């Protein structure tokens, strides 16, 4: 079974089995049989080896009817004859969602027998699988259906990452929005366009010898200008009429061209009932017997579909058991155009039938598409409500749920409580704005109105409300909890677990909430168990759209455990998957990932990198997770302090405190105040320290927070840091020792070894001041145990001179187990922890990425889209790069960066 990788490169058993029951086989095989089509060897050669010769990706770009699919079918046979495995994907509108596109590529791999099971794959995962599968070709047909910013980004990533053993063929009516010029210059991609795909005179003569057909056909072929579909239609017409007397001459018409031809030569020749059946089918992109029956209500659907097979290749069999067909897109466009000319069922009614059919089959994307096409807001709303309403955020993901809601006007949502709650949960999970909090309060008030009284008796609706309320209690906002609501959490868990087998989505959301509460103020061991429960549920219930949250959960658990490398790995993985999926909104998840990365870099003493990472988080949002907000305000200020910018650190904290007061953010007020007081203490301003202690009544807050496992660990840690250091400074060693020791014990009990290490540093300092050097050495070894494996430098860099001397003493001892780690710490201390080196010689990762974009010749716009940042941010980085390299333009920057070894 293919699995994603662990930090050590091994496969990680992280399997989210997708629900394959709705995957239609027709997506993973050619729509058109090429058996009767003219084999054009010149096009096969062009697609395989036209310049640039090094290209492994080929784009077939031409309008409808140019034989792209036929060429792909011939390429498939040619490659298979050479021993290559060919993976085929036909794109539909659903592939505009990059998550769906990646999922369907995974399905295609599984259809070809390359996967045993399905999980949520990113581009890198898929490329790993392809590279392990021997000679292979990936064919993506009708990509124009999938074209979107997100899917285009996925496609470009695939082209760039394609293994050497693989080829990629993409057929599309339009050029995808990718860095095409650069890809061609790099030798990564070739293009076969409409000019090359046209039939030559010789090819047309092979298909339809002019000497054997009436002169009218010669005119038709001349007017076709080598357009393959026209030539094929002419051939079909000739074969149909060649035995009739007299032959019916083809007429192209001047207004609609091929539409006139299709109408005169095909549609008008059908029996009226078959014609009407075909016209009604035109609303469907792919047709099987059940869907045709549901839409057309034809008395003998199977017979009617078989009757249409004589129109091949315009009508193509895509599956025989059970029978499924596809109308050529151009032919389907023509039928839709002709629909108004015949007195049959209205398009509105047909789309409504299709919507209900797909809704019953749990194909929500198609159901919403047809309901929207029908123009019925009520039907769209009804389908969304019946599909679960707010619960769609769990199995479909908040991004896709947002797209469903976008098909309705805001008024249609707010007038339906179930849809209104659906939008509130989507906004809460996405976390891009705090507006939903006020809206939620207003929503709860409207539920008390007489017309909504029936909802009060709906236990499921009440549970959904409680789940949304739980989200509001988690984020740092006015509604956040003060004391952990463990009884309420347990009650939600009990109620949702009771519904697990009937409706597992309640349980999924309740587990997410419980996990985050546990991370915030509970036990990491219990959080680990809830994370495993969540992974198991997502696998069994196919909630893969939200699987990135589980990866995100792993990052924060590993951060507080002190496993910094794993925390960084999972955060980067989460960001990469969000970026690969084309999600550009700065959601709560993205902010959280950047905050975790910033914390990792800070603990590793990579202070400049930490600050740049925190800079990627939008500042002062009145709705964010506490870790996010504490990171970009408090941890960033600590980094500035260490780097010598005391005034900048205090200014940022004061601004953050004003913000927390303005928006009534209780925990952030305490954390910031404690951090400000600690900084004043560290610079010797005791009066300033005591002023902030009194101003925010921090002594009382400390006492309240010593109700362990009941208050936020971040808030408690900030208060313990302040007072343990304050009492140490006041030479109240017993009081300082007892507070730090108790906090260390409780932190260890909760699994938070990293914050425990900070407290142990104070414990060690107190013991040294009291003359208990042997006991201090025991504590120091415990600190080394907690920090050595993952290079968590910061706790040890806060030591006093006495602590450093004890460390030097241990370095001289024979047989010391942490000798190399102690040497690293002492080297860092001796170099001066505030001396991070000149920034000009330490280009940031983001600046290196921008430089790489310059090296590739990308414009500012392309760099911004590739890195998922704004144009202004790119320009800002460029100014910094020019200043650091002392250059004035892009070319000079690239040359100087190469000279200095920044670019290799």
């Amino acid at each position: 079974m293919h699995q994603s990788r662990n930090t050590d490169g091994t496969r990680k058993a992280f399997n989210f089995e997708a629900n394959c029951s709705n995957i239609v086989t027709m997506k993973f095989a050619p729509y058109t049989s090429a058996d009767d089509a003219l084999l054009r060897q010149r096009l096969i050669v062009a697609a395989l080896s036209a310049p640039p010769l090094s290209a492994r990706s080929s784009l077939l770009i031409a309008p409808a009817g140019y034989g792209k699919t036929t060429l792909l079918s011939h390429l498939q046979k040619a490659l298979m004859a050479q021993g290559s495995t060919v993976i085929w994907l036909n794109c539909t509108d659903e592939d505009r969602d990059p998550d769906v596109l990646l999922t369907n590529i995974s399905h295609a791999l599984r259809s070809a027998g390359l996967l045993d099971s399905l999980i949520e794959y990113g581009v890198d995962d898929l490329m790993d699988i392809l590279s392990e599968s021997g000679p292979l070709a990936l064919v993506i047909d009708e990509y124009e259906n999938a074209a979107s910013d997100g899917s285009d980004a996925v496609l470009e990533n695939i082209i760039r990452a394609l293994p050497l053993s693989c080829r990629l063929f993409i057929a599309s009516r339009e050029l995808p929005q990718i860095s095409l010029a650069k890809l061609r210059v790099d030798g990564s991609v070739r293009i076969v366009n409409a000019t090359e795909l046209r039939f030559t005179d010789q090819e047309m003569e092979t298909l339809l010898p002019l000497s054997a057909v009436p002169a009218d056909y010669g005119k038709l072929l001349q007017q076709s200008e080598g357009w393959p579909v026209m030539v094929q239609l002419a051939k079909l017409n000739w074969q149909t009429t060649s035995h009739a007397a007299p032959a019916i001459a083809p007429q192209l018409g001047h207004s609609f061209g091929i539409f006139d031809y299709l109408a005169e030569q095909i549609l008008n020749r059908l029996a009226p009932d078959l014609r009407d059946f075909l016209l009604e089918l035109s609303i469907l992109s792919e047709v099987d017997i059940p869907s045709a029956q549901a839409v057309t209500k034809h008395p003998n659907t199977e017979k009617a579909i078989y009757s249409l097979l004589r129109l091949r290749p315009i009508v193509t069999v895509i599956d025989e058991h059970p029978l499924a067909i596809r109308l050529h897109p151009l032919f389907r466009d023509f039928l839709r155009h002709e629909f108004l000319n015949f007195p049959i069922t209205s398009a509105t009614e047909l789309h409504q039938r299709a919507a209900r059919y797909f809704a019953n089959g749990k194909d929500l994307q198609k159901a919403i598409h047809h309901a929207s096409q029908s123009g019925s807001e009520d039907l769209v709303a009804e389908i969304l409500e019946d599909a679960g309403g707010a619960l769609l955020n769990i199995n479909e993901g908040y991004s896709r749920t947002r797209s469903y809601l976008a098909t309705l006007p805001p008024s249609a949502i707010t007038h339906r409580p179930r849809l209104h709650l659906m939008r509130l949960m989507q906004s809460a999970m996405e976390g891009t704005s705090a507006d939903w909090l006020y809206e939620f309060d207003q929503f709860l008030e409207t539920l008390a109105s007489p017309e909504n009284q029936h909802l009060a008796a709906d236990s499921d609706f009440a549970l959904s409300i409680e789940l949304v309320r739980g989200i509001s209690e988690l984020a740092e906002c006015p509604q956040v909890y003060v004391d952990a609501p463990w009884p309420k959490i347990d009650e939600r868990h009990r109620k949702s677990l009771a519904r697990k087998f009937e409706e597992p989505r309640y349980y999924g959301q309740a587990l997410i909430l419980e996990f985050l509460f546990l991370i915030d103020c509970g036990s990491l061991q219990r959080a680990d168990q809830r994370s495993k429960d969540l992974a198991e549920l997502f696998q069994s219930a196919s909630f893969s759209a939200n699987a990135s949250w589980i990866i995100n959960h792993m990052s924060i658990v590993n951060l507080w455990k002190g496993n910094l490398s794993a925390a960084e790995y999972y955060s980067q993985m989460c960001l990469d998957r969000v970026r690969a999926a084309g999600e550009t909104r700065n959601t709560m998840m993205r902010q959280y990932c950047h905050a975790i990365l910033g914390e990792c870099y800070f603990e590793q003493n990579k202070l400049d990198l930490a600050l740049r990472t925190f800079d990627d988080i939008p500042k002062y949002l009145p709705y964010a997770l506490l870790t996010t907000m504490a990171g970009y305000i408090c941890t960033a200020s600590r980094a500035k302090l260490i780097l010598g910018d005391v005034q900048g650190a205090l200014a940022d904290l004061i601004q953050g405190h004003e913000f927390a007061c303005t928006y009534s953010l209780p925990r952030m007020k305490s954390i910031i105040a404690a951090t400000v007081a600690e900084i004043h203490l560290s610079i010797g301003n005791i009066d300033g320290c005591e002023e902030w202690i009194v101003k925010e009544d921090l002594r009382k807050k400390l006492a309240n927070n010593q109700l362990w496992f009941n208050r936020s660990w971040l808030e408690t840690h900030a208060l313990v840091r302040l007072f343990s250091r304050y009492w140490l400074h006041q030479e109240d060693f017993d009081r300082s020792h007892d507070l730090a020791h108790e906090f260390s014990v409780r932190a260890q009990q909760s699994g938070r070894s990293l914050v425990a290490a900070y407290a142990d540093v104070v414990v060690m300092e107190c013991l040294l001041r009291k003359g208990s050097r042997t006991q201090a050495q025991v504590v120091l070894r415990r600190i080394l145990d907690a920090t050595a494996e993952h290079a968590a430098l910061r706790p040890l860099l806060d030591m006093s001179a006495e602590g450093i001397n004890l460390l030097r003493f241990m370095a001289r001892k024979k047989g010391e187990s942490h000798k190399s780690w102690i040497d690293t710490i002492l080297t860092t201390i001796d170099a001066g922890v505030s001396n991070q080196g000149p920034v000009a010689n330490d280009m940031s990762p983001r600046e290196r990425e921008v430089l790489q974009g310059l090296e590739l010749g990308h414009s500012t716009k392309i760099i911004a889209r590739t890195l998922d940042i704004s144009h202004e941010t790119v320009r800002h980085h460029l100014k910094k790069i020019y200043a650091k390299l002392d250059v004035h333009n892009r070319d000079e920057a690239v040359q100087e960066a190469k000279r200095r070894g920044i670019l290799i």
Side-chain angles (χ1 to χ4, degrees), residues 9-27:
T10 60
R11 290 292 184 183
K12 176 171 69 70
F14 192 62
N15 183 7
F16 299 108
E17 185 69 37
N19 182 358
C20 300
S21 61
N22 292 325
I23 301 302
V24 183
T25 305
M26 62 186 70
K27 286 187 69 70

Side-chain angles (χ1 to χ4, degrees), residues 8 37 106 166 186 239 241 341 436 502 590 640 718 857:
D8 62 359
S106 302
C166 298
D186 290 345
Q239 291 174 339
T241 62
N341 297 329
W436 79 272
E502 182 180 353
R590 293 162 66 92
K640 286 186 177 182

Side-chain angles (χ1 to χ4, degrees), residues 816-831:
E816 173 56 48
S817 59
H818 292 299
K819 182 68 168 60
S820 61
W821 176 228
I822 294 173
D823 290 343
T824 299
I825 299 166
L826 291 174
T827 300
T828 305
I829 291 172
D830 292 339

Side-chain angles (χ1 to χ4, degrees), residues 248-399:
I248 301 174
Q251 299 291 325
L252 290 179
H254 300 288
S255 299
F256 302 108
I258 191 171
F259 281 7
D260 283 349
Y261 178 70
L262 290 170
E264 293 175 7
Q265 301 302 321
I266 297 179
L267 192 64
N268 292 346
R269 295 187 178 189
L270 296 175
D273 66 323
L274 193 58
R275 177 202 63 203
D276 293 349
F277 176 71
L278 186 57
L279 287 165
E280 290 180 332
L281 285 184
S282 66
I283 70 161
L284 300 173
S285 56
E286 298 162 349
V287 183
D288 57 17
I289 294 172
S291 62
Q293 175 62 40
V295 170
T296 67
K297 308 297 185 184
H298 194 278
N300 195 337
T301 305
E302 183 173 4
K303 180 180 178 181
I305 290 179
Y306 274 106
S307 297
L308 294 176
L309 297 184
R310 67 174 182 265
L311 299 181
R312 285 185 288 190
I314 301 171
V315 173
T316 306
V317 175
I318 49 181
D319 201 349
E320 293 185 356
H321 304 289
L323 178 64
I325 65 170
R326 170 185 178 269
L327 307 181
H328 191 285
L330 187 63
F331 186 45
R332 197 178 64 204
D333 290 345
F334 155 71
L335 292 173
R336 290 174 176 177
H337 178 270
E338 289 293 301
F339 192 88
L340 297 176
N341 297 329
F342 294 89
I344 53 178
T345 311
S346 70
T348 297
E349 173 62 22
L350 293 172
H351 280 295
Q352 289 178 353
R353 292 175 185 174
R356 292 190 175 94
Y357 168 78
F358 288 116
N360 290 335
K362 310 301 183 185
D363 191 337
L364 193 57
Q365 287 190 317
K366 288 183 179 178
I368 296 300
H369 166 75
H370 285 288
S372 178
Q373 290 292 308
S374 77
S376 173
E377 294 176 4
D378 287 341
L379 181 57
V380 174
E382 175 190 324
I383 290 172
L384 289 175
E385 288 179 334
D386 290 345
L391 298 178
L392 288 171
N393 287 283
I394 311 304
N395 62 306
E396 295 280 336
Y398 58 76
S399 178

Side-chain angles (χ1 to χ4, degrees), residues 48 53-57 79 82 84-85 126-138 157-169 186-188 190:
L48 292 174
L53 296 177
S54 61
R56 300 191 308 282
S57 298
L79 291 167
Q82 297 173 7
S84 293
T85 301
L126 292 172
M127 295 304 101
D128 286 346
I129 294 167
L130 294 181
S131 67
E132 297 169 2
S133 302
L136 183 145
L138 174 59
N157 287 339
I158 291 175
I159 292 173
R160 292 187 181 281
L162 196 68
L164 291 172
S165 61
C166 298
R167 290 181 176 272
L168 173 65
F169 300 92
D186 290 345
S188 298
R190 67 175 58 84

Side-chain angles (χ1 to χ4, degrees), residues 371-494:
S372 178
Q373 290 292 308
S374 77
S376 173
E377 294 176 4
D378 287 341
L379 181 57
V380 174
E382 175 190 324
I383 290 172
L384 289 175
E385 288 179 334
D386 290 345
L391 298 178
L392 288 171
N393 287 283
I394 311 304
N395 62 306
E396 295 280 336
Y398 58 76
S399 178
R400 198 173 300 168
T401 302
R402 183 179 70 240
S403 68
Y404 293 154
L405 290 168
T407 63
L408 291 170
S411 60
I413 296 171
T414 54
H415 289 150
R416 288 175 172 260
R418 297 183 191 280
L419 293 189
H420 198 173
L421 188 62
M422 176 181 173
R423 183 175 71 186
L424 288 167
M425 184 181 284
Q426 181 272 323
S427 299
M429 291 179 67
E430 188 172 51
T432 56
S433 170
D435 294 345
W436 79 272
L437 292 166
Y438 172 77
E439 188 180 348
F440 185 50
D441 289 339
Q442 297 297 306
F443 172 76
L444 294 177
E445 291 180 13
T446 64
L447 293 181
S449 61
E451 62 268 23
N452 290 326
Q453 286 299 307
H454 65 285
L455 294 172
D458 189 333
S459 59
D460 285 350
F461 190 71
L463 181 55
S464 294
I465 291 175
E466 281 304 306
L467 293 173
V468 176
R469 197 193 309 274
I471 301 174
S472 71
E473 293 171 345
L474 269 169
E476 188 62 12
C477 64
Q479 288 85 347
V480 74
Y481 72 91
V482 176
D483 293 322
W486 295 121
K488 187 188 297 185
I489 292 169
D490 290 340
E491 179 67 8
R492 279 199 297 254
H493 183 93
R494 183 188 65 77

Side-chain angles (χ1 to χ4, degrees), residues 104-208:
N104 281 334
I105 292 175
S106 302
H107 283 308
L109 289 167
R110 189 178 189 187
S111 179
L114 300 183
L115 288 179
D116 295 328
S117 61
L118 295 171
I119 65 173
E120 184 193 43
Y121 285 103
V123 171
D124 292 341
D125 300 322
L126 292 172
M127 295 304 101
D128 286 346
I129 294 167
L130 294 181
S131 67
E132 297 169 2
S133 302
L136 183 145
L138 174 59
V139 175
I140 301 178
D141 198 11
E142 297 192 335
Y143 180 76
E144 70 277 358
N145 294 327
S148 66
D149 290 345
S151 293
D152 289 348
V154 169
L155 182 64
E156 181 163 347
N157 287 339
I158 291 175
I159 292 173
R160 292 187 181 281
L162 196 68
L164 291 172
S165 61
C166 298
R167 290 181 176 272
L168 173 65
F169 300 92
I170 306 103
S172 178
R173 296 186 187 184
E174 299 175 353
L175 281 169
Q177 297 301 305
I178 59 177
S179 310
L180 192 56
K182 180 59 180 173
L183 289 170
R184 296 184 74 183
V185 169
D186 290 345
S188 298
V189 69
R190 67 175 58 84
I191 296 178
V192 179
N193 58 29
T195 301
E196 296 166 281
L197 288 168
R198 294 180 190 275
F199 277 143
T200 64
D201 291 343
Q202 182 179 359
E203 288 167 344
M204 286 192 289
E205 179 69 15
T206 301
L207 273 177
L208 201 60

Side-chain angles (χ1 to χ4, degrees), residues 823-891:
D823 290 343
T824 299
I825 299 166
L826 291 174
T827 300
T828 305
I829 291 172
D830 292 339
V833 296
S834 297
N835 179 18
Q836 299 298 309
V839 178
N841 295 327
D842 185 22
M843 200 73 68
S844 76
R846 179 67 82 194
E847 288 162 357
R848 290 175 186 272
E849 290 175 340
V850 173
L851 267 171
Q852 289 167 358
L854 297 183
E855 184 183 21
L856 294 171
H858 290 176
S859 66
T860 300
K861 179 179 180 181
I862 295 299
I863 293 173
R865 188 176 70 183
T866 302
L867 300 182
D868 195 20
I869 56 180
S870 69
H871 297 178
E872 288 302 318
T873 301
V874 175
R875 295 189 183 99
H876 174 72
H877 286 308
L878 286 174
K879 289 180 181 178
K880 283 190 172 182
I881 290 169
Y882 293 169
K884 289 180 180 181
L885 298 177
D886 192 22
V887 296
H888 302 91
N889 58 48
R890 293 169 174 243
D891 291 337

